Amino acid sequence: MINESALLESKSLRDGVLERTDLLDKVKALSLLPDGTHVTTAMVAAYFEVAETVINNLLNRHRQELQSNGLRVLRGPELRDFKELNLSFYQSGYPQPRSSLAIWSRRAVLNVAMLLRDSDVARQVRTYLLDMEYLARTQPAENPAPTDVVSLDHRIDQRITHILGKTVVPMFNALIETSGEHRKELIALRAGVQRIERRLHQHHARLQRLEGVRDDRPAVGVMAAMDAMHGRTFEHHIAKLLRRDGCTNVVVQGGHGDRGVDIIALTPDGRRLVAQCKRFAPYLNITSPEVQKFIGAAKVLHSADVALYVATCPFTPEALSIAAEAGITAVHRGVLEEWSAGEPLTVLE
């Protein structure tokens, strides 16, 4: 099984997942140049929330690999033609003359995500890649359908199966009864249609299993499982982690009348604990107003000794700062992944 360290170190493993450029936008929207295909080095740096010099240093260290995945350095007439195509961008974004320009394809940007160590955004992209790699390895080979079209596949499968079972097969039965010369061919065709019908039933059952949340999924893939949970299921998952780590009197009370917290419990040493659980998309953020609201509920309404704000997405820097000042433990996506994999929260010890 691929892990994050192996992905950072092995070019062959990186090459195996470079087609998943769609994951970039699942973590954070990637702005493109007017040509709709490329980004500049500055835009790559903005996406990964690092300095442009960091990306330039990465380019110098891994130039050959990045060029094989779509990085190009334009000069001369090629640069002039490119500027004309993206004129509006250069008028507002790069007023100074340039003798060369590095442009990056989406594939090259994904390559950066697998090389850049000190970026939370890059780490989130790698997490998604690992999750999707796990799902690809564990689902049946004859079912390569991406998870974002599962519901559509259900409807198509059911409709085709209905047509085959209620219309096509009875038609063959009638033809077979009245035909003499082509009876064998019709019987063979009917058998083929019935095989397709059975396969569609099996395909439908496999998709239903893949849609369900699996409690036995290992650490690689655990974030994909949590991303697929409903809010209430996510709250119970967090309650399960608290019980695993020795908390007692764990009660899930999220919903109407919860007084601003989703879970109440006692830590292993008897302190009063409350938790807020937010299952948000990984490209969103927990903001400072949300943390401030939770501070009031945790400290004023519940007099909590330990307050956890658990989220499947990052926190803004201001939100993290306010949480730290108020004694709130921010369990963001990275910490949540480690906690779910067995690493206990320090505040519970």
Side-chain angles (χ1 to χ4, degrees), residues 211-254:
E211 277 192 311
V213 177
R214 292 170 46 189
D215 292 334
D216 61 341
R217 182 167 290 161
V220 175
V222 70
M223 294 311 300
M226 277 188 275
D227 288 337
M229 292 178 182
H230 296 297
R232 191 67 168 175
T233 306
F234 179 61
E235 292 168 5
H236 282 280
H237 175 71
I238 300 305
K240 183 178 178 180
L241 295 179
L242 290 170
R243 295 188 186 98
R244 182 201 69 189
D245 291 347
C247 293
T248 58
N249 297 354
V250 181
V251 177
V252 178
Q253 60 176 30

Side-chain angles (χ1 to χ4, degrees), residues 5-18:
S5 297
L7 200 61
L8 287 164
E9 300 298 334
S10 171
K11 180 181 181 300
S12 62
L13 292 180
R14 293 193 292 271
D15 289 344
V17 293
L18 278 168

Side-chain angles (χ1 to χ4, degrees), residues 74-287:
L74 306 181
R75 295 181 176 86
E78 192 175 23
L79 176 58
R80 184 181 63 251
D81 293 343
F82 187 82
K83 285 183 177 181
E84 289 178 359
L85 180 63
N86 297 274
L87 182 61
S88 62
F89 176 83
Y90 282 97
Q91 286 176 337
S92 60
Y94 280 99
Q96 71 276 26
R98 283 173 168 249
S99 60
S100 65
L101 178 71
I103 58 170
W104 307 69
S105 66
R106 291 176 64 89
R107 187 181 175 100
V109 176
L110 182 60
N111 199 164
V112 171
M114 292 183 280
L115 294 168
L116 191 59
R117 296 175 182 270
D118 299 324
S119 164
D120 288 339
V121 175
R123 188 175 186 279
Q124 290 175 46
V125 174
R126 290 195 293 272
T127 297
Y128 252 101
L129 279 170
L130 294 171
D131 290 346
M132 293 302 101
E133 187 273 342
Y134 172 81
L135 291 175
R137 287 172 177 264
T138 54
Q139 69 183 23
E142 63 270 29
N143 177 30
T147 56
D148 57 350
V149 296
V150 165
S151 297
L152 177 61
D153 281 349
H154 279 326
R155 295 194 296 272
I156 293 173
D157 287 353
Q158 290 172 331
R159 180 63 176 162
I160 294 175
T161 304
H162 175 79
I163 292 172
L164 292 177
K166 300 299 183 181
T167 304
V168 179
V169 172
M171 180 187 70
F172 275 115
N173 290 337
L175 289 172
I176 290 168
E177 290 297 323
T178 58
S179 175
E181 182 180 355
H182 301 290
R183 182 179 177 85
K184 289 184 179 179
E185 290 88 344
L186 289 170
I187 290 174
L189 286 171
R190 182 182 65 180
V193 170
Q194 289 173 326
R195 282 196 299 272
I196 293 172
E197 184 182 5
R198 287 194 298 271
R199 287 180 180 176
L200 285 171
H201 277 300
Q202 295 166 356
H203 180 63
H204 179 71
R206 284 195 296 269
L207 289 176
Q208 285 184 315
R209 289 197 300 270
L210 285 172
E211 277 192 311
V213 177
R214 292 170 46 189
D215 292 334
D216 61 341
R217 182 167 290 161
V220 175
V222 70
M223 294 311 300
M226 277 188 275
D227 288 337
M229 292 178 182
H230 296 297
R232 191 67 168 175
T233 306
F234 179 61
E235 292 168 5
H236 282 280
H237 175 71
I238 300 305
K240 183 178 178 180
L241 295 179
L242 290 170
R243 295 188 186 98
R244 182 201 69 189
D245 291 347
C247 293
T248 58
N249 297 354
V250 181
V251 177
V252 178
Q253 60 176 30
H256 182 68
D258 62 11
R259 303 184 72 196
V261 302
D262 296 318
I263 300 173
I264 59 173
L266 295 177
T267 65
D269 58 2
R271 290 170 293 161
R272 183 170 178 79
L273 177 148
V274 298
Q276 177 72 287
C277 305
K278 294 295 184 184
R279 197 212 58 75
F280 285 174
Y283 55 81
L284 298 177
N285 288 290
I286 301 299
T287 61

Side-chain angles (χ1 to χ4, degrees), residues 47-58:
Y47 177 83
F48 289 110
E49 299 176 4
V50 298
E52 189 171 349
T53 53
V54 173
I55 303 301
N56 282 324
N57 290 337
L58 193 73

